[in-house]
Amino acid sequence: MHAVAADGVWKYFGDYPALRGAGLEVSRGSCVALIGRNGAGKTTLLRILAGLSKPSKGTIAIDGRIGYLGHGIGVYDDLSAVENLMLFGRLAGLPNPKESALAALEHVGLTRVKDGLAREFSRGMRQRLAIARAFLHNPDLLLLDEPFTSLDDRAIAVLQQLLTEARKRGSTIVMSTHQIREAMELASDVALLERGRIVFSGPRSNEMTLDPGFLYRTYGEGSSGEVRA
Amino acid sequence: MREKIIYSLGILGTILLVYNFYNIFLVIPIDALQGAIYRIIFIHVPAAITAFSFYGVAVVASIAFLVRKNFWWDSLAVSAVEVGTMFTLVNLATGSIWGRVEWGIWWAWDARMTSQLMCFLLYLGYLLMRPAIAEPQQRGIMSAVLAIFAAADIPIVVMAIRLHNVRTQHPGPVLETGGLAPVYWPPFLIGIVCFLLLGSAMILVRLHQESSHREIDSLRRELHAI
Amino acid sequence: MAALAIAGKDLRTEWRTRESLNSAVSFALVILVLFSFAFDLDREERLAISGGLLWLVYAFAGALIVNRSFAREVPNDCLEVLTSSVRGWSIFLGKSVACFVLLLLVELISLPIFGLFYNIRWTGSFFALALVMALSTWGITVVGTALSAITVNVRLRELMLPVLLYPLMIPLLIGAMEMTTGLLNGNAVLSDIRLLIVYDVMFTAISLYLIEFILVI
């Protein structure tokens, strides 16, 4: 049973197809780096997987609870850090929201400011709070949309640590990025999204890690590479 | 093919309209009680019936759009609402004129006219909201939901107004009292038919315009994506 | 329950900033004052318009409050997180309950002020009045919250929402106004209760069903 099974997904905005029959299978416990240029459809695909958007055509099958980290931070400015996490803990149905919230804050290094309102936080602190929110309920499936973009060093370290721990727990991760280097360190698999289609999907190889442009040259549009599922 | 249908509907409707007007204004004997202005009933009531028919089409199209997600239904909904609103305006205007001539006031807040005014306001909101949403899918869905809300509101509006509006008497609903003399039925029915025909022709024209808009929009997006 | 958590969150954040509460109460006050300048009425006339005036004020305040309902989810993209975490109807129900509480609070604050300015006694049939207020307020908040969700991403939201809301509310307001005038005049007749109940049930059902279409596009 795959953690994510997307088949023939089309998404139209008006008459413009942002996704043209994208298909993706992600086995449980793997970490997929979803690579693509701006406008390729990464955000659209992730939002559909997270249940925020309905595909115009195609099927999506998701197994397990979802933790979503999109472009927006997704925390309430007028609630404190611990109140924010307790809210999301309740929404996720956690048995002891307060305990989980405090543990999560500990993990991201925000325990000292747990009662501070989110609006008073610095940008880096808000990002760490957002990360705490996404990982709070130990989701089986993590959907992260360009998570490393504009993070400060501390936040990057926290995120990398949480991702590693999540992988050890057996969670599945789908992470979109166009910063290939960071993604390659963590990913077990790679998928290339080009103009709404998954043109490559498979395990990460050494060539990909050493040479970021390799993927685009080999499998991107205009290349001679075939589609490998 | 489509154009042929539009033309034939339009021409047939216009012929009937001309014939009917000739009938109404020159042939039919006037009502002894109400005088010449009574003739306006042949425009006033068919306009209301036509408007309601098209509002019905709009709500069906809206539900169909939510279920099937085909933009043709969305185009049909907005076309039907526009043409229906136009006929509602005709109804309101003729009703107002009738009131002015008959009782000396332009607007009497009687139950029927007030209900019609409410319909007008509800669907006016629909028409105002549409241009404010740029993305077609979102616009279609929000419009469809709003159309369903409006349609659900209408029976309750009628119920509420009927409970409270006893101020003035709308000229006796002729259909209910059965007071429409036999000589009046043909122009009345023909009036309904010709409004429906003309309205349908207008809807088809509008439908075509909508699909052209969508095509231009998508071409524009493709161009920007390159 | 998720809906209650969301309602609690809305109420808590509102209590911290008191944005919509303050603006709604101030607005209600200003309207009440303005109307007293607009018309010079004797006691009988004041009693005759009492229900109408009161519910006009409540309707305006209601529009302000429901406008904020989904608008408060826009900063930081919180609506996305909510939508991916819980079902649409939980979000809708939670927000409707929060708006209901806030609007009822504004109404209860405005009522004594109204009684003061217009010299109208409202304590006589308070429970019947409270019932009318509760049912009508629920109708306003349910339709208003649904429209708030619809217009959250629409241009000129603050303008568009009232334009859409007031026509839809009219039957509810008619019933509320008539009954309130009757109650303030001393007739304890709840003739239009059925109208309010039909309205509430119908629009709650429709909104709960359609909210998924609105939130997940």
Side-chain angles (χ1 to χ4, degrees), chain C residues 101-121:
Chain C
V101 170
L102 289 173
L103 184 52
L104 208 53
L105 193 58
V106 172
E107 291 173 4
L108 290 171
I109 294 175
S110 314
L111 188 57
I113 299 175
F114 164 80
L116 190 72
F117 282 172
Y118 291 82
N119 251 308
I120 292 180
R121 293 201 61 226

Side-chain angles (χ1 to χ4, degrees), chain A residues 41-190:
Chain A
K42 304 191 295 294
T43 302
T44 310
L45 181 59
L46 277 173
R47 292 189 82 234
I48 290 179
L49 293 179
L52 298 173
S53 191
K54 278 199 271 242
S56 310
K57 264 187 277 189
T59 54
I60 311 274
I62 305 275
D63 189 34
R65 290 195 306 189
I66 294 175
Y68 176 71
L69 190 62
H71 284 295
I73 293 183
V75 295
Y76 291 100
D77 282 336
D78 294 311
L79 293 180
S80 72
V82 68
E83 281 168 348
N84 260 299
L85 293 184
M86 279 175 67
L87 169 69
F88 290 110
R90 268 192 217 108
L91 294 182
L94 293 179
N96 197 334
K98 180 137 196 181
E99 208 177 280
S100 312
L102 291 172
L105 287 173
E106 175 84 42
H107 244 102
V108 300
L110 287 174
T111 310
R112 199 172 42 86
V113 290
K114 68 173 166 59
D115 291 316
L117 296 181
R119 70 163 71 248
E120 294 159 7
F121 284 5
S122 71
R123 187 183 176 136
M125 291 159 78
R126 287 151 71 89
Q127 285 160 344
R128 278 184 281 145
L129 184 57
I131 293 169
R133 181 203 34 83
F135 285 80
L136 176 69
H137 51 299
N138 291 331
D140 309 303
L141 174 64
L142 279 157
L143 299 168
L144 312 169
D145 194 357
E146 299 188 15
F148 290 103
T149 305
S150 67
L151 286 193
D152 65 6
D153 294 338
R154 205 166 159 189
I156 291 180
V158 161
L159 181 57
Q160 280 171 329
Q161 187 198 356
L162 281 171
L163 284 171
T164 318
E165 283 171 15
R167 287 213 63 199
K168 279 207 200 93
R169 268 201 314 271
S171 302
T172 314
I173 302 171
V174 178
M175 187 169 49
S176 84
T177 181
H178 48 65
Q179 286 161 316
I180 301 187
R181 222 172 300 265
E182 267 105 343
M184 289 307 181
E185 285 172 36
L186 294 155
S188 64
D189 295 74
V190 169

Side-chain angles (χ1 to χ4, degrees), chain B residues 66-82:
Chain B
L66 287 180
V67 170
R68 303 200 136 269
K69 301 186 183 60
N70 186 338
F71 275 101
W72 186 83
W73 292 109
D74 175 52
S75 303
L76 179 61
V78 63
S79 312
V81 169
E82 282 184 8

Side-chain angles (χ1 to χ4, degrees), chain B residues 58-195:
Chain B
V59 78
V60 168
S62 296
I63 296 174
F65 177 70
L66 287 180
V67 170
R68 303 200 136 269
K69 301 186 183 60
N70 186 338
F71 275 101
W72 186 83
W73 292 109
D74 175 52
S75 303
L76 179 61
V78 63
S79 312
V81 169
E82 282 184 8
V83 177
T85 304
M86 194 199 80
F87 278 104
T88 304
L89 273 174
V90 169
N91 175 263
L92 288 172
T94 51
S96 176
I97 294 171
W98 194 350
R100 177 76 176 98
V101 171
E102 194 63 30
W103 305 293
I105 39 174
W106 286 107
W107 185 260
W109 289 113
D110 65 282
R112 277 243 167 81
M113 294 305 290
T114 308
S115 308
Q116 280 287 65
L117 184 62
M118 291 300 103
C119 283
F120 176 71
L121 286 177
L122 285 169
Y123 286 103
L124 186 69
Y126 175 100
L127 293 174
L128 284 174
M129 187 187 74
R130 276 194 73 99
I133 307 179
E135 208 277 295
Q137 175 88 347
Q138 195 185 3
R139 179 173 60 219
I141 291 183
M142 301 311 181
S143 306
V145 171
L146 196 60
I148 294 173
F149 268 77
D153 204 42
I154 290 176
I156 307 186
V157 166
V158 171
M159 185 175 152
I161 292 177
R162 198 169 288 185
L163 285 174
H164 289 291
N165 227 307
V166 290
R167 259 167 276 174
T168 37
Q169 271 291 41
H170 196 83
V174 290
L175 296 168
E176 281 168 35
T177 61
L180 198 56
V183 67
Y184 290 152
W185 276 104
F188 191 73
L189 293 172
I190 295 178
I192 297 175
V193 169
C194 82
F195 277 170

